[in-house]
Amino acid sequence: MSEAIAQLNETLLTMLQSETFVLLNTVDAESGGPTSTAISWIYAVSPSIVRLAVDHRSRLVNNMKVNPLVTITVFGEGTVHAINGRASVKQDPLLDVPFKMCCFDVEIDAVRNALFYGAQLESAPKYAKVYDARAAEKLDGQVFAAMQKAQ
């Protein structure tokens, strides 16, 4: 594990300004244990702030409201990055989306290379949306537009 920096580098910033998926790690509000969930509604607002949109039906909303400490795991640049920060509600509910969502800003405390020594990712993981592609594209467009406008 390498030394931490306090913000996203240019490559991570660019990567998190287009569609990608990450692992969002939170502290479970009920058990107090760690949780990890794959999400794709993530957007880098700046080198020091990452914005997330989460469906209100998800336990993640309450987890981050109860304990704001999060780690976002990003696969890219041939490595695995761990972004540590504090989540705070940016907008609840998120406006102009078809169902109730909560928008969080994560203020970045540290970004670390989390891949074990001597290893390099040969490729980043890829995913496919297995439901109506047109509906997915429309929903993603609505969510990302709303996240970018969140006040």
Side-chain angles (χ1 to χ4, degrees):
M1 196 178 291
S2 64
E3 190 143 335
I5 56 172
Q7 62 182 19
L8 302 174
N9 64 30
E10 192 64 37
T11 304
L12 276 173
L13 179 68
T14 301
M15 183 180 173
L16 292 173
Q17 288 181 332
S18 59
E19 186 176 345
T20 189
F21 87 96
V22 301
L23 297 178
L24 175 60
N25 306 282
T26 63
V27 177
D28 187 81
E30 291 179 22
S31 72
T35 67
S36 186
T37 305
I39 66 167
S40 63
W41 289 325
I42 182 167
Y43 176 79
V45 176
S46 71
S48 59
I49 297 176
V50 176
R51 186 165 291 162
L52 316 168
V54 180
D55 185 326
H56 257 278
R57 294 172 290 187
S58 171
R59 294 171 58 106
L60 295 172
V61 172
N62 193 45
N63 289 354
M64 289 185 285
K65 285 181 176 181
V66 170
N67 185 335
L69 297 177
V70 299
T71 298
I72 299 166
T73 305
V74 182
F75 304 89
E77 296 186 291
T79 193
V80 177
H81 298 277
I83 301 169
N84 301 99
R86 293 180 179 275
S88 61
V89 174
K90 177 68 176 177
Q91 191 173 77
D92 188 14
L94 185 61
L95 305 177
D96 302 324
V97 293
F99 51 89
K100 194 172 178 187
M101 298 186 79
C102 188
C103 186
F104 291 90
D105 275 358
V106 176
E107 188 172 332
I108 296 171
D109 294 328
V111 180
R112 291 183 175 83
N113 179 340
L115 190 60
F116 54 92
Y117 179 77
Q120 181 176 349
L121 287 184
E122 291 187 6
S123 65
K126 293 182 180 182
Y127 65 95
K129 296 177 182 171
V130 294
Y131 57 100
D132 184 328
R134 225 176 21 204
E137 187 175 324
K138 180 180 178 184
L139 178 60
D140 286 345
Q142 291 171 319
V143 172
F144 282 109
M147 286 171 62
Q148 291 172 358
K149 293 187 296 188
Q151 301 273 330

